[in-house]
């Protein structure tokens, strides 16, 4: 049986400092060398996936931006893009601007991400932007006041992303989750419980669909998916075996087929290297 292993990064494969441990790197490289099919599925873009995974001998594309694209580390190219319909992106931007919801808007064209912004930049958003301004994978076109020149027609948009106070995130999510052609997400992750992450993608962009498409292209007849957070649930439901780490949110552990050790114990890499159930 040919198995594809797919792991979320933050809170699942990575340590709390958002790095891979030496043991996880060793175990993953050993498993891949022995023929294991392994990749990651993450909300991150290649700008942070590339350095995080640089010492792992991945020979499969990564599922990035929560399934909006596959990214091929060997060539630096994207495939299976799931961009917004321009009209849907325009309606979404109107809601954000009308309700004073600041957000980064990611455009992807010719394998380069361009980041623009709507609304005022918070201190956290400024820090987020500064950390991503010096990479070959992205161009940041945001003025110091947080403004950007948006095109009249929003073509080539792949992602809206922001970290916000809970009340703003929840309110905007309620206004955007039913826009046709839009898949909005509202959850908490690395920034703590007081800061919400608000994302929006094309309705065709999901980790689950990207994972299933990749498995089909590889001829894999079984998928094992690892996760810890709400945005991993669709992927885990699509998998043949859903595995939650011990530190996962309660609803994720409840939905999983099995629960393994925490992310701090190299649990995902151990499971893969041992040919887990």
């Amino acid at each position: 049986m040919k198995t594809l292993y797919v792991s979320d990064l933050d809170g699942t494969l990575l340590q709390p400092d958002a790095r891979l441990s030496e043991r996880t790197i060793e175990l993953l490289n050993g498993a891949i060398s022995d023929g294991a099919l392994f990749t990651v599925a993450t909300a991150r873009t290649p700008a942070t996936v590339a350095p995080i995974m640089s010492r792992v001998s991945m020979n499969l594309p990564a599922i990035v931006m929560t399934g909006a694209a596959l990214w091929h580390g060997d060539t630096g190219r994207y495939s299976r893009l799931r961009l917004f319909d321009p009209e849907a992106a325009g309606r979404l931007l109107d809601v954000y601007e009308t309700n004073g919801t600041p957000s980064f808007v990611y455009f992807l064209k010719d394998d380069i991400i361009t980041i623009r912004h709507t609304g005022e930049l918070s201190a956290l958003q400024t820090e987020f932007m500064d950390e991503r301004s010096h990479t070959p994978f992205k161009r940041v076109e945001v003025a110091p006041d947080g403004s950007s020149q948006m095109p009249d027609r929003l073509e080539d948009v792949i992602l809206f992303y922001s970290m916000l106070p809970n009340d703003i995130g929840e309110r905007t999510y309620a206004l955007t989750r039913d826009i046709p052609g839009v898949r909005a997400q509202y959850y908490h992750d690395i920034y703590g419980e007081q800061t919400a992450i608000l994302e929006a993608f094309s309705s065709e962009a999901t980790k689950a669909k990207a994972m299933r498409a990749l498995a089909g292209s590889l001829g894999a007849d079984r998928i094992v998916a690892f996760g810890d957070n709400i945005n991993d649930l669709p992927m885990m439901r699509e998998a043949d075996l859903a595995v939650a780490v011990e530190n996962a949110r309660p609803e994720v552990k409840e939905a999983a087929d099995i629960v393994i050790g925490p992310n701090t114990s190299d649990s995902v890499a151990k499971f893969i290297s041992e040919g887990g159930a």
Side-chain angles (χ1 to χ4, degrees), residues 175-239:
L175 293 169
T176 58
R177 63 186 176 189
D178 294 324
I179 296 176
V182 172
R183 182 175 67 82
Q185 293 189 152
Y186 163 75
Y187 62 99
H188 300 88
D189 201 356
I190 59 175
Y191 299 108
E193 295 299 316
Q194 300 306 310
T195 300
I197 292 177
L198 185 65
E199 297 174 327
F201 305 87
S202 161
S203 55
E204 294 301 309
T206 70
K207 285 184 179 181
K209 290 180 179 179
M211 178 182 71
R212 182 56 69 184
L214 179 60
S217 71
L218 297 170
D221 41 23
R222 179 171 174 265
I223 300 174
V224 177
F226 305 85
D228 76 302
N229 211 334
I230 304 301
N231 61 337
D232 298 319
L233 284 174
M235 173 178 76
M236 294 171 70
R237 294 190 186 106
E238 180 68 20

Side-chain angles (χ1 to χ4, degrees), residues 218-270:
L218 297 170
D221 41 23
R222 179 171 174 265
I223 300 174
V224 177
F226 305 85
D228 76 302
N229 211 334
I230 304 301
N231 61 337
D232 298 319
L233 284 174
M235 173 178 76
M236 294 171 70
R237 294 190 186 106
E238 180 68 20
D240 298 288
L241 184 70
V243 184
V245 286
E246 177 58 39
N247 53 287
R249 290 184 172 271
E251 51 267 59
V252 176
K253 290 196 282 188
E254 184 178 346
D257 296 308
I258 60 173
V259 178
I260 58 176
N263 64 322
T264 52
S265 298
D266 307 300
S267 303
V268 170
K270 288 176 182 175

Side-chain angles (χ1 to χ4, degrees), residues 56-261:
V56 177
S57 303
M58 282 180 56
N59 48 26
L60 300 181
I63 299 168
V64 296
M65 292 177 279
T66 316
L70 299 180
W71 181 70
H72 302 257
D74 55 342
T75 64
R77 300 185 69 87
Y78 293 85
S79 65
R80 200 184 175 278
L81 298 183
R82 295 297 182 264
L83 301 170
F84 276 96
D85 172 79
E87 282 70 30
R91 287 193 292 272
L92 185 63
L93 182 63
D94 286 344
V95 172
Y96 275 59
E97 292 182 337
T98 299
N99 289 275
T101 303
S103 181
F104 294 105
V105 184
Y106 287 58
F107 297 75
L108 178 54
K109 187 175 183 180
D110 298 329
D111 295 307
I112 294 292
I113 290 175
T114 300
I115 301 177
R116 298 186 173 100
H117 190 265
T118 181
E120 295 183 5
L121 282 168
S122 68
L124 182 57
Q125 289 176 331
T126 298
E127 179 183 353
F128 175 89
M129 182 180 67
D130 290 345
E131 289 174 352
R132 289 155 175 81
S133 295
H134 308 288
T135 167
F137 302 104
K138 292 179 179 177
R139 289 195 296 252
V140 178
E141 297 183 356
V142 181
D145 64 356
S147 63
S148 291
Q149 181 66 44
M150 293 288 180
D152 293 334
R153 182 173 171 82
L154 293 184
E155 296 180 332
D156 306 312
V157 176
I158 197 163
L159 166 65
F160 284 71
Y161 179 88
S162 191
M163 58 290 284
L164 302 157
N166 285 331
D167 58 336
I168 300 175
E170 187 172 9
R171 182 177 72 245
T172 305
Y173 172 68
L175 293 169
T176 58
R177 63 186 176 189
D178 294 324
I179 296 176
V182 172
R183 182 175 67 82
Q185 293 189 152
Y186 163 75
Y187 62 99
H188 300 88
D189 201 356
I190 59 175
Y191 299 108
E193 295 299 316
Q194 300 306 310
T195 300
I197 292 177
L198 185 65
E199 297 174 327
F201 305 87
S202 161
S203 55
E204 294 301 309
T206 70
K207 285 184 179 181
K209 290 180 179 179
M211 178 182 71
R212 182 56 69 184
L214 179 60
S217 71
L218 297 170
D221 41 23
R222 179 171 174 265
I223 300 174
V224 177
F226 305 85
D228 76 302
N229 211 334
I230 304 301
N231 61 337
D232 298 319
L233 284 174
M235 173 178 76
M236 294 171 70
R237 294 190 186 106
E238 180 68 20
D240 298 288
L241 184 70
V243 184
V245 286
E246 177 58 39
N247 53 287
R249 290 184 172 271
E251 51 267 59
V252 176
K253 290 196 282 188
E254 184 178 346
D257 296 308
I258 60 173
V259 178
I260 58 176

Side-chain angles (χ1 to χ4, degrees), residues 9 12-29 51-56 262-270:
L9 284 178
T12 304
L13 189 67
L14 303 184
Q15 296 293 308
D17 63 357
R19 297 179 184 273
L20 293 175
S21 74
E22 292 296 323
R23 182 61 174 154
T24 282
I25 293 170
E26 177 187 359
L27 290 172
L28 288 178
N29 282 335
I52 287 171
M53 302 302 296
S54 63
R55 293 175 58 200
V56 177
N263 64 322
T264 52
S265 298
D266 307 300
S267 303
V268 170
K270 288 176 182 175

